[in-house]
Each structure stands twice: as structure tokens, then as C-alpha cells.
Amino acid sequence: MTSSLGTRTVTVTVRYFAGAKAAAGRSTEPMTVPVGTTIAALVEAVAADHGEALVKVLAASSFLLDGTAVHSRDEVLADGAVLDVLPPFAGG
């Protein structure tokens, strides 16, 4: 993808669950970011967009990238990727 300024971008779908969904005020959103963006940078961008309530949830959350557990937030995102935000769940 290329924006009108010539910067190459990718679009990633972020899906929020449980407390993350409540803090973000939505269950899903597309994020367009520059090529080479890492999971860590995307999480920072999401936090900046949604405020302190989501920042707290994100700090305690785990993530799935295209259905696979994220072990390093340094992974670069591909166009069309899906990042699931999974806050800690209570219960048994």
C-alpha cells in the first residue's frame, strides 16, 4: 500500500476482548501504519488513540498475532495481520 504522500503502509486489524473492548469502546478497528511497524509500536499507537483506561489494560494484556501467541513485541506486522488483545480473564 502507498499513501498519497508515497509512504508505504500496511493495515492491521486490532480485535479487543473483555476489558480491552470496554476500555477501547469497540470490539475491532483497522489501523494503518507504516511498513516495518512492530507489535510494540502498534500497541503504543493504540494506547495513544484511546487513553489511560486502555493503557492500563494493554500493560496487563497478552496478544495473539494471526492466532499465534506473541512472545516478542519486536515482530514486524504484515499487511492484513490480525492482532488480538487479551486482557487477564477471571474465573475458572
Side-chain angles (χ1 to χ4, degrees), residues 48-81:
D49 285 351
H50 292 287
E52 189 62 30
L54 187 58
V55 168
K56 290 178 182 178
V57 173
L58 290 170
S61 292
S62 58
F63 301 89
L64 298 178
L65 180 61
D66 295 328
T68 301
V70 170
H71 298 290
S72 170
R73 294 188 185 183
D74 293 331
E75 189 168 345
V76 173
L77 297 161
D79 192 43

Side-chain angles (χ1 to χ4, degrees), residues 16 19-28 50 54:
Y16 303 102
K21 179 179 174 181
R26 63 191 70 194
S27 61
T28 186
H50 292 287
L54 187 58

Side-chain angles (χ1 to χ4, degrees), residues 1-65:
M1 287 186 168
T2 305
S3 75
S4 60
L5 298 176
T7 303
R8 292 176 29 110
T9 60
V10 296
T11 300
V12 177
T13 300
V14 180
R15 299 190 307 184
Y16 303 102
F17 294 88
K21 179 179 174 181
R26 63 191 70 194
S27 61
T28 186
E29 71 179 315
M31 297 287 293
T32 301
V33 295
V35 167
T37 296
T38 63
I39 293 169
L42 178 66
V43 170
E44 287 179 22
V46 165
D49 285 351
H50 292 287
E52 189 62 30
L54 187 58
V55 168
K56 290 178 182 178
V57 173
L58 290 170
S61 292
S62 58
F63 301 89
L64 298 178
L65 180 61

